[in-house]
C-alpha cells in the first residue's frame, strides 16, 4: 500500500513539475504570467489551508502576511535599491514570522468565530496603516518598478525561480501534513479537548501552524511583487484574505492539493472572464454558490469521493 | 505501601451547588477500583479534577508522591495518567489506527516531527497495532473512527488512553450504552487490560455486575460526598449504602 502511494506521489510531482516547467516554451508572456500567478497563489492557498482545512482555524487575516511579504520587497527596493530585491523577500518573510509569532499570542487566545473576527480586525488595521502612511508606503499609489535583481529580472528566469521555491514549499507542506505534527493538527481540529489528554498543548500547536502558514503567505506576497513588478495596498485588504478562503473552499479543504486547484481555477476565471467583462467577481460568486450548494467537498474532494464510489460501487463517505 | 493517588479534602462547587464535598481517599498502586453513585453525584467532576480539566476549590491531589493540584491536564498526563470518557472522545475523521497511533507518537515525543510520514515511526505503529489487537479492533484498524459501532468507539477511546502507557487509568462508564453481551465482553476486557498493562485502574460504572465482578475496592459517592469505601462485600453489607443507593437489588 505504502509503495503504491509513493509511486503515485512521484508521478504526481513529476507531472506537476513537467507541466509548469514547460510553460515558458510557449514564448507567451501572458501564459507565463498566468502560470506564475497560479503557482504563487496556489502555494499561498495550500499554506492557508494548513491553518483552515487541517487545523480548523479560519483566519480572515492572511492578507496581512501576504502584504508584509510584498512590502518587504517593495520598501527595500524603494529605499535601498534594486539590488535589495532578494534581501527584501527574506526580510518580509522574517518579519511575517515575528509578527505571526507575537500576534499568535493575541488571536489564538480565542477560538472559532472570534478568532476569525480578530484576524480580520488586525488585517484591516495593517491595511489602514499602509493606506494612510503615504510618506513611507506610497499609500494607494503602491510601489512600482519592482524589477528583481540581476538575471532574475528576466521573466523566464524569475518564473523558474518561483517554480523552484513553490515546489519546495508545497513539498514541505505536504510532508508536514503527512507527519506526526500534521496528525496532531488534524486532531486539534476534530477534538481539541482530547488533544490535551494526549499530553499536547492545543494553543502551542495552533501558534506553530499559524506562524508556518503566515511565513508562506509572506513568501507568496514577496514573489508576487516580482511577478507584477509592483505592489499595492490592496494586497492587505480583506478581499485578499477572502480570495484565499474561496480558493480553498472551491478546490476542497479536506484534500491537500484542493486549494492549489482552487487557486488555479479562480485565477483563470479572473483573467479570462475579467478580460471580457468587469463583472468577473459576479461570475466567481455564482461559481462559489454552485459549489457550496451542490459540491460542498470542493472540486478535488468531489473527484476523490467520485473515484471511491466508482471503486466500491456504492455510496461511501469520504474522510479527510 | 505509598498510594499512587491521594485526594485530601477536595472541594468543588458550581455556583451554590457543591459537587465535590470534602472528598478524601487513597488509591494503592495496582488496585482496580470502582466509583459508583447516582447520576449527578459528582463522579465525572471528580475525574475532571484528578486530570486537571477542572481545578478544585480546596484540598489537594497527589499523584505518585507529587502534588498535582492545579496543574494543567497536559502536565498531569505527561506524568502518567490516562483517561477515557463517558461521552466518547475520539478523533472521528482519522483511522482507528491513527487514533491510537497519535497517542503512541505523543508518548514517544514525536508529535513535533514535521517531515517523515507516520509509517516511518515503526515502533509507535507496531505498538498501536498491538493495542488494537488487545482491544479486538485490529481488523478495523483502517476504517475511519466515526464508522465504528458505538461499543467499539468506547473501546477505541480506551485505546487512545492506553497509547500513552499510563500508570493510572481512569475510565468513565466504560459500558455505558452497551448491550448486555457487549457489557459482559467489556468487563472481561477491562480486567484483562488491567492485568496485561500493570495498571492502576479506577472506573466509574452503573452496571453492578461489572462493579462487583471486577473491582477490588468500591467507593460510593452521593451528592458530592464519599459515602462509603471498602471491598465489594463490605459495600454490599453497608446499611447506609443499601439504603441510599443500592436499594434491595443486592
Ligand atoms: N461545568 C459545570 N458547570 C456547572 N455544573 C456542572 C458542571 N459540570 C457538572 N455540573 C453539575 O455537577 C453535578 C455533578 O455532575 P457530574 O460530575 O457529571 O455527575 P456524575 O458523573 O456523577 O453523573 C451535576 O448536577 C451537574 O449538573
Ligand atoms: Mg458522569
Amino acid at each position: 500500500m505504502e509503495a503504491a502511494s509513493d509511486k503515485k506521489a512521484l508521478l504526481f510531482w513529476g507531472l506537476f513539475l513537467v507541466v509548469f516547467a514547460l510553460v515558458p516554451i510557449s514564448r507567451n508572456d501572458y501564459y507565463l504570467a498566468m502560470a506564475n500567478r497560479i503557482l504563487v497563489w496556489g502555494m499561498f492557498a495550500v499554506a492557508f489551508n494548513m491553518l483552515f482545512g487541517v487545523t480548523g482555524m479560519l483566519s480572515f487575516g492572511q492578507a496581512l502576511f501576504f502584504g508584509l511579504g510584498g512590502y518587504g520587497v517593495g520598501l527595500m527596493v524603494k529605499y535601498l535599491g534594486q539590488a535589495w530585491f532578494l534581501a527584501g523577500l527574506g526580510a518580509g518573510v522574517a518579519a511575517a514570522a515575528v509578527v505571526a509569532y507575537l500576534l499568535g499570542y493575541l488571536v489564538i487566545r480565542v477560538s472559532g468565530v472570534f478568532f476569525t473576527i480578530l484576524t480580520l480586525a488586525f488585517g484591516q488595521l495593517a491595511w489602514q496603516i499602509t493606506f494612510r502612511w503615504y510618506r513611507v508606503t506610497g499609500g494607494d499609489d503602491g510601489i512600482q518598478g519592482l524589477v528583481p535583481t540581476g538575471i532574475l529580472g528576466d521573466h523566464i528566469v524569475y518564473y523558474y525561480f518561483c517554480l523552484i521555491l513553490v515546489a519546495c514549499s508545497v513539498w514541505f507542506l505536504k510532508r508536514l501534513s503527512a507527519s506526526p505534527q500534521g496528525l496532531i493538527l488534524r486532531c486539534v481540529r476534530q477534538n481539541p479537548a482530547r488533544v490535551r489528554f494526549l499530553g499536547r498543548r492545543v494553543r502551542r500547536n495552533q501558534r506553530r501552524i499559524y506562524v508556518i502558514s503566515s511565513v508562506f503567505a509572506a513568501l507568496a506576497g514577496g514573489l508576487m511583487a516580482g511577478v507584477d513588478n509592483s505592489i499595492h495596498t490592496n494586497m492587505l485588504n480583506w478581499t485578499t484574505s477572502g480570495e484565499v478562503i474561496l480558493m480553498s473552499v472551491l478546490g476542497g479543504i479536506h484534500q491537500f492539493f484542493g486549494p492549489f486547484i482552487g487557486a488555479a481555477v479562480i485565477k483563470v476565471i479572473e483573467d479570462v472572464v475579467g478580460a471580457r467583462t468587469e463583472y468577473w467577481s459576479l461570475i466567481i460568486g455564482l461559481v462559489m454558490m454552485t459549489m457550496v450548494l451542490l459540491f460542498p467537498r470542493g472540486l478535488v474532494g468531489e473527484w476523490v469521493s467520485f473515484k471511491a464510489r466508482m471503486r466500491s460501487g456504492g455510496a461511501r463517505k469520504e474522510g479527510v | 505501601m505509598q498510594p499512587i493517588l491521594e485526594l485530601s479534602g477536595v472541594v468543588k462547587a458550581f455556583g451554590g451547588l457543591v459537587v465535590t464535598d470534602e472528598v478524601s481517599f487513597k488509591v494503592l498502586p495496582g488496585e482496580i477500583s470502582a466509583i459508583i453513585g447516582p447520576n449527578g453525584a459528582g463522579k465525572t467532576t471528580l475525574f475532571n479534577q484528578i486530570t486537571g480539566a477542572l481545578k478544585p476549590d480546596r484540598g489537594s491531589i497527589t499523584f505518585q508522591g507529587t502534588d498535582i493540584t492545579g496543574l494543567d491536564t497536559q502536565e498531569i498526563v505527561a506524568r502518567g495518567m490516562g483517561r477515557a470518557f463517558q461521552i466518547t472522545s475520539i478523533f472521528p475523521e482519522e483511522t482507528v489506527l491513527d487514533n491510537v497511533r497519535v497517542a503512541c507518537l505523543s508518548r514517544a515525543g514525536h508529535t513535533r516531527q514535521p517531515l517523515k510520514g507516520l509509517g516511518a515511526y515503526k515502533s509507535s505503529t507496531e505498538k498501536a497495532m498491538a493495542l488494537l489487537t488487545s482491544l479486538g479492533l485490529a481488523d478495523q484498524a483502517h476504517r475511519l473512527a466515526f464508522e465504528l459501532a458505538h461499543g467499539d468507539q468506547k473501546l477505541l477511546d480506551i485505546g487512545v488512553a492506553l497509547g500513552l502507557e499510563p500508570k493510572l487509568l481512569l475510565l468513565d462508564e466504560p459500558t455505558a450504552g452497551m448491550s448486555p453481551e457487549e457489557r459482559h465482553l467489556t468487563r472481561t476486557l477491562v480486567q484483562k487490560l488491567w492485568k496485561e498493562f500493570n495498571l492502576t485502574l479506577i472506573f466509574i460504572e452503573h452496571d453492578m455486575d461489572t462493579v462487583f465482578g471486577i473491582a477490588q475496592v468500591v467507593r460510593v459517592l452521593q451528592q458530592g460526598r464519599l459515602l462509603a469505601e471498602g471491598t465489594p462485600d463490605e459495600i454490599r453489607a453497608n446499611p447506609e449504602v443499601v439504603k441510599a443507593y443500592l436499594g434491595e437489588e443486592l
Side-chain angles (χ1 to χ4, degrees):
Chain A
M1 199 179 82
E2 207 103 302
S5 73
D6 273 2
K7 240 189 226 157
K8 247 173 101 177
L10 213 65
L11 194 75
F12 180 88
W13 283 103
L15 210 65
F16 173 88
L17 285 175
V18 168
V19 167
F20 277 97
L22 287 179
V23 172
I25 292 181
S26 70
R27 304 221 156 263
N28 180 325
D29 267 357
Y30 172 77
Y31 288 144
L32 192 68
M34 168 87 93
N36 213 338
R37 233 171 276 139
I38 290 173
L39 280 173
V40 175
W41 275 86
M43 171 184 75
F44 184 16
V46 165
F48 164 76
N49 196 52
M50 291 299 292
L51 204 54
F52 177 35
V54 173
T55 318
M57 301 161 73
L58 177 52
S59 166
F60 213 133
Q62 290 311 91
L64 190 158
F65 302 105
F66 187 71
L68 211 50
Y71 276 82
V73 171
L75 294 174
M76 281 283 215
V77 170
K78 180 174 170 186
Y79 290 102
L80 300 173
Q82 199 201 351
W84 292 79
F85 186 97
L86 280 183
L89 188 63
V93 169
V98 174
V99 172
Y101 182 79
L102 296 176
L103 206 55
Y105 277 94
L106 282 173
V107 295
I108 291 167
R109 297 176 67 84
V110 295
S111 50
V113 69
F114 300 105
F115 171 76
T116 304
I117 304 264
L118 258 191
T119 52
L120 174 63
F122 278 108
Q124 289 302 90
L125 183 71
W127 173 65
Q128 277 295 321
I129 291 172
T130 35
F131 195 80
R132 306 265 153 136
W133 204 8
Y134 186 87
R135 215 159 38 83
V136 173
T137 63
D140 200 24
D141 297 339
I143 301 172
Q144 277 80 33
L146 300 174
V147 180
T149 321
I151 56 162
L152 285 178
D154 180 84
H155 283 317
I156 293 179
V157 175
Y158 188 73
Y159 174 82
Y160 281 115
F161 173 70
C162 289
L163 176 57
I164 290 167
L165 278 183
V166 167
C168 291
S169 304
V170 172
W171 176 84
F172 167 74
L173 292 169
K174 174 80 179 130
R175 298 304 297 245
L176 176 63
S177 85
S179 72
Q181 174 68 73
L183 178 58
I184 283 283
L185 295 175
R186 289 197 298 279
C187 289
V188 164
R189 180 188 83 237
Q190 292 165 42
N191 192 348
R194 186 70 200 237
V195 168
R196 297 199 173 90
F197 280 91
L198 296 175
R200 296 294 132 201
R201 290 176 190 278
V202 171
R203 281 188 191 158
R204 190 172 293 179
N205 281 285
Q206 289 177 323
R207 262 201 312 274
R208 205 173 290 147
I209 194 61
Y210 185 65
V211 171
I212 291 174
S213 182
S214 301
V215 159
F216 286 105
L219 179 61
L223 291 177
M224 278 313 292
V227 176
D228 294 338
N229 300 123
S230 67
I231 54 170
H232 192 263
T233 49
N234 274 350
M235 290 175 88
L236 286 118
N237 201 359
W238 67 269
T239 49
T240 301
S241 304
E243 191 167 350
V244 85
I245 297 174
L246 290 186
M247 289 168 171
S248 300
V249 173
L250 178 67
I253 62 169
H254 291 323
Q255 263 72 34
F256 180 80
F257 283 104
F260 200 100
I261 304 296
V265 171
I266 288 205
K267 283 295 152 197
V268 169
I269 294 182
E270 238 173 59
D271 252 53
V272 173
V273 183
R276 285 173 178 73
T277 155
E278 57 187 298
Y279 297 119
W280 60 270
S281 58
L282 187 74
I283 304 285
I284 290 190
L286 287 173
V287 169
M288 286 311 300
M289 233 153 69
T290 316
M291 283 303 296
V292 171
L293 290 175
L294 298 180
F295 310 108
R297 295 185 185 101
L299 293 170
V300 180
E302 295 293 345
W303 169 244
V304 168
S305 79
F306 173 75
K307 274 198 309 188
R309 269 203 305 276
M310 288 281 103
R311 215 175 303 125
S312 69
R316 181 177 169 282
K317 264 197 172 163
E318 271 303 299
V320 181
Chain B
M1 200 169 14
Q2 269 278 101
I4 186 170
L5 179 75
E6 179 169 1
L7 275 67
S8 77
V10 175
V11 175
K12 179 81 194 175
F14 294 116
L17 182 70
V18 180
V19 181
T20 306
D21 192 357
E22 294 285 346
V23 170
S24 305
F25 61 79
K26 293 177 187 168
V27 176
L28 294 178
E31 180 180 291
I32 181 166
S33 61
I35 296 179
I36 62 173
N39 277 324
K43 305 181 295 295
T44 298
T45 304
L46 200 61
F47 270 15
N48 282 338
Q49 292 170 88
I50 295 171
T51 55
L54 285 173
K55 317 275 175 247
D57 296 340
R58 269 194 285 125
S60 74
I61 301 172
T62 309
F63 178 51
Q64 295 184 308
T66 45
D67 186 357
I68 56 162
T69 325
L71 288 190
D72 288 341
T73 298
Q74 304 90 288
E75 293 165 311
I76 295 174
V77 168
R79 284 173 155 78
M81 203 187 292
R83 174 182 181 181
F85 291 76
Q86 180 175 354
I87 298 162
T88 312
S89 182
I90 53 178
F91 304 107
E93 292 161 36
E94 301 306 315
T95 62
V96 170
L97 172 61
D98 283 349
N99 266 269
V100 178
R101 181 152 61 175
V102 72
C104 299
L105 288 164
S106 178
R107 163 74 201 188
H110 291 319
T111 46
R112 290 170 68 169
Q113 296 298 322
L115 288 179
K116 281 190 277 179
L118 300 179
Y121 299 89
K122 290 231 161 54
S123 70
S124 293
T125 304
E126 280 161 15
K127 204 178 101 192
M129 274 316 293
L131 268 172
L132 290 177
T133 305
S134 292
L135 291 162
L137 294 174
D139 53 338
Q140 306 191 76
H142 296 287
R143 295 183 71 189
L144 298 176
F146 76 83
E147 298 175 334
L148 295 190
H150 169 82
D152 288 341
Q153 290 191 5
K154 286 265 339 165
L155 295 185
L156 180 58
D157 194 334
I158 297 175
V160 175
L162 285 174
L164 296 160
E165 294 174 30
K167 300 198 176 64
L168 173 64
L169 179 62
L170 309 177
L171 304 180
D172 198 343
E173 304 197 15
T175 74
M178 290 184 175
S179 67
E181 302 88 69
E182 278 182 318
R183 233 182 275 154
H184 182 79
L185 287 174
T186 304
R187 176 191 319 154
T188 319
L189 181 66
V190 167
Q191 195 174 32
K192 186 191 89 167
L193 295 172
W194 167 62
K195 286 183 186 146
E196 186 178 341
F197 296 104
N198 292 315
L199 298 166
T200 307
L201 200 151
I202 310 177
F203 64 95
I204 295 172
E205 190 51 72
H206 286 298
D207 178 53
M208 289 306 143
D209 291 337
T210 304
V211 171
F212 290 101
I214 64 177
Q216 297 170 326
V217 177
V218 179
R219 298 185 182 87
V220 186
L221 218 56
Q222 194 197 23
Q223 292 178 0
R225 283 193 320 110
L226 187 64
L227 184 71
E229 176 177 19
T231 64
D233 288 338
E234 288 165 356
I235 294 297
R236 267 204 202 90
N238 185 317
E240 261 196 286
V241 175
V242 172
K243 191 173 84 187
Y245 175 57
L246 298 172
E248 64 284 359
E249 68 189 81
L250 296 169

